[in-house]
Amino acid sequence: MTPPWLRPVPAGVELRILVQPRASRDQLVGVQGDELKVRLAAPPVEGAANAACCAFFAKLCRLPKSHVTLVSGESSRHKRLLLSGAEAAAVAALLEPLPGA
């Protein structure tokens, strides 16, 4: 069973996330509702938090940065990321140790 924040799509995997910018450090917090909650140190100005979010998930999911793109939520805390070429089972396994996941 796939978690509600993860959705397989033909291009790879889509993640639904909730971003808290200007945190003390970058970290996954857990699951809030049907989204992954992530804290990012970057401020939400001029796309800094969006770029940091993509880079954070690229590193976490062991993908090149070019394979992580923002699908929606450019100016919102609620975002959708596309992990191109990723498999749902592999991403879920990487994020499984999260509290509440």
Side-chain angles (χ1 to χ4, degrees), residues 25-77:
R25 61 187 170 118
D26 296 347
Q27 71 179 73
L28 280 174
V29 177
V31 178
Q32 184 168 330
D34 59 351
E35 298 173 312
L36 276 178
K37 185 172 182 183
V38 61
R39 292 184 181 136
L40 299 173
V45 293
E46 298 178 9
N50 290 337
C53 185
C54 290
F56 178 74
F57 277 97
K59 182 177 179 181
L60 188 66
C61 295
R62 302 175 187 147
L63 294 170
K65 288 181 187 177
S66 62
H67 286 203
V68 181
T69 54
L70 184 65
V71 176
S72 70
E74 188 173 320
S75 61
S76 172
R77 291 174 43 136

